[in-house]
Amino acid sequence: MADPALRNRLKEERARLGWTQADLAARTGVTRKTINTVENGVFTPSTVLALRLAQALETPVETLFWLEPGG
Amino acid sequence: MSDLSKSARDPIAIAERMQRRRTRIFMIEGILFLVWQGIFLTNNEDPGASYRLVDWIRISGFMGWALVLLFLLATGGGFVWRRDVRELMRDESTRAHNRMAQAAGFWAAMIAALAVYVLSIFEPVTPSACMHWVLSAGIGVALLRFAMLERRGERG
């Protein structure tokens, strides 16, 4: 069975607040490259980073990230 | 944007600039290292010959270069910067890229070792040449893999 793919709505939540990737990076203590790779699904963030992102965007983590079966 | 956010962005801006610079350096160093070793290895060593001064200088130079590159791979560099900048330079995605690059380097070194093993059946290979192949493949591939992953992350 294929591993489920991690999806996110980081970009939409960021847009809702009118933030750039750099704004979110500054609020979560990572570089813009990390935000960019998470948004594009290239990089799977750790639990700690996922929680920090959710906290910064004032969104429940399960709204921000979810698993899509079958990749 | 608040002043707090602006001030918090400062080390991030520095770290991002340094990350991009590091990516370029790793890419250039990786290519140079592999090309240079290719030239080095085309000069067939006589297994029975003793080392001349020029050989000692060449081998020491290679070992020094390899050690510096290994150190940069292991630490990510940036020691002239403040701690917060250094930590950002090694943020989560960078550490993941580093692990992936080190894995790629490991497999490249193993393949090089197997290749040298097979080669040694057909012609004599000196121990230093064996080490050269393994180190060159491992370090060169790890540097290039890291630079490629970082570049992909920067571009999105």
Side-chain angles (χ1 to χ4, degrees):
Chain A
M1 197 175 88
D3 284 339
L6 182 72
R7 305 283 183 218
N8 72 80
R9 43 181 295 109
L10 216 59
K11 198 172 181 176
E12 290 82 349
E13 290 299 324
R14 194 166 53 71
R16 178 177 61 82
L17 296 164
W19 290 356
T20 61
Q21 287 184 340
D23 292 331
L24 183 57
R27 284 170 166 86
T28 47
V30 294
T31 58
R32 196 187 53 79
K33 181 196 70 192
T34 296
I35 301 295
N36 192 28
T37 50
V38 174
E39 260 188 26
N40 293 326
V42 174
F43 171 62
T44 303
S46 69
T47 312
V48 174
L49 180 57
L51 287 167
R52 279 205 332 239
L53 288 165
Q55 196 175 36
L57 292 163
E58 294 165 354
T59 311
V61 73
E62 61 271 26
T63 308
L64 205 54
F65 296 98
W66 68 94
L67 291 172
E68 215 162 78
Chain B
M1 182 175 292
S2 70
D3 288 339
L4 177 73
S5 177
K6 276 182 185 167
S7 63
R9 202 185 256 199
D10 201 32
I12 293 176
I14 299 168
E16 286 177 352
R17 218 170 41 242
M18 291 305 110
Q19 280 183 338
R20 283 194 293 275
R21 187 181 291 178
R22 180 177 57 196
T23 301
R24 284 197 298 273
I25 291 170
F26 275 32
M27 183 66 81
I28 292 165
E29 282 288 337
I31 292 167
L32 277 178
F33 194 69
L34 286 174
V35 169
W36 188 260
Q37 305 326 316
I39 295 165
F40 187 97
L41 290 163
T42 52
N43 296 329
N44 286 333
E45 282 181 64
D46 178 3
S50 59
Y51 289 128
R52 296 167 298 158
L53 179 64
V54 69
D55 295 319
W56 283 110
I57 293 168
R58 195 176 56 164
I59 290 166
S60 311
F62 167 72
M63 278 166 48
W65 193 6
L67 274 172
V68 168
L69 294 179
L70 275 172
F71 181 73
L72 285 176
L73 261 173
T75 61
F79 293 101
V80 292
W81 295 100
R82 300 190 309 257
R83 191 178 171 176
D84 56 344
V85 174
R86 281 203 315 273
E87 281 173 2
L88 281 164
M89 282 177 72
R90 278 185 72 79
D91 69 351
E92 211 173 291
S93 64
T94 308
R95 290 198 302 273
H97 291 163
N98 195 277
R99 284 193 295 272
M100 289 158 81
Q102 287 183 23
F106 168 80
W107 286 112
M110 289 303 102
I111 290 164
L114 283 171
V116 176
Y117 203 177
V118 171
L119 182 70
S120 70
I121 297 167
F122 302 102
E123 60 177 280
V125 184
T126 62
S128 70
C130 290
M131 287 298 101
H132 225 101
W133 278 98
V134 173
L135 282 171
S136 302
I139 295 172
V141 167
L143 283 172
L144 289 176
R145 181 77 180 134
F146 181 78
M148 282 190 283
L149 288 167
E150 286 283 282
R151 184 167 283 188
R152 188 182 67 175
E154 284 159 12
R155 286 179 179 168

